[in-house]
Amino acid sequence: MYVVKSPLSDADLKTVAEALQGALVDLIDLSLVAKQIHWNVVGPRFRTVHLQLDEVVTSARAHSDTVAERASALGVPPDGRASTVAVGSGIGATAGGWIRDAEAVEALVDALRAVIGRMRGRVAATAEADPVSQDILIGITADLEKHHWMFQAENG
């Protein structure tokens, strides 16, 4: 059932729907991973890393809402359920328990690298299908790359 009709062709809509859904899943998981590490980071740089992790959480949550609303605007129901995120995320498993600040930074660098790589693929996939969605994905990717740079600089 389609409540909202998309202006895109069926083929383009399929491409864009897959890109947006994948982005949604990765962004939700990124926010969860960053928050998990945020709660458990310890070490001399605790405060700096702790606060920086919250910046990633805030960004990922805002971007996930933008992506989900873009999907809805195109007539695609977004799926951010925990089971969907668990199956579809490109981020590796996050260890439980306390995590030293340097390891926390490395974990975020790895998570961001995974999401950025997949986002760049989505940017390419949506170029012809829907430049509007592509523009959204480009902006998100740029923001994630900024976080990636800042976390890498933490352990520079």
Side-chain angles (χ1 to χ4, degrees):
M1 170 175 95
Y2 288 99
V3 175
V4 177
K5 303 293 184 198
S6 174
L8 302 178
S9 71
D10 289 345
D12 287 347
L13 183 60
K14 182 180 184 307
T15 299
V16 174
E18 288 173 2
L20 293 173
Q21 179 60 39
L24 177 62
V25 163
D26 282 349
L27 289 164
I28 290 171
D29 199 25
L30 179 61
S31 74
L32 294 172
V33 166
K35 193 51 110 169
Q36 176 66 27
I37 295 170
H38 164 91
W39 292 324
N40 290 286
V41 65
V42 294
R45 294 181 299 154
F46 162 79
R47 183 164 173 74
T48 303
V49 174
H50 183 78
L51 295 174
Q52 193 173 354
L53 286 161
D54 261 345
E55 292 175 10
V56 172
V57 171
T58 298
S59 286
R61 287 179 178 167
H63 292 318
S64 66
D65 193 52
T66 299
V67 166
E69 289 180 357
R70 177 64 184 160
S72 293
L74 293 174
V76 177
D79 187 354
R81 296 173 297 165
S83 59
T84 303
V85 172
V87 170
S89 175
I91 301 173
T94 303
W98 304 119
I99 183 168
R100 298 291 303 169
D101 49 14
E103 288 81 26
V105 168
E106 283 303 315
L108 247 292
V109 167
D110 290 346
L112 285 161
R113 182 182 303 115
V115 174
I116 290 165
R118 288 167 51 115
M119 291 296 282
R120 285 186 160 272
R122 294 175 186 121
V123 167
T126 55
E128 294 295 321
D130 183 23
V132 175
S133 294
Q134 183 196 41
D135 185 56
I136 290 168
L137 296 172
I138 289 169
I140 292 169
T141 304
D143 189 46
L144 295 176
E145 288 176 346
K146 182 177 177 183
H147 287 299
H148 188 241
W149 156 56
M150 290 184 168
F151 271 100
Q152 288 181 82
E154 279 285 335
N155 279 351

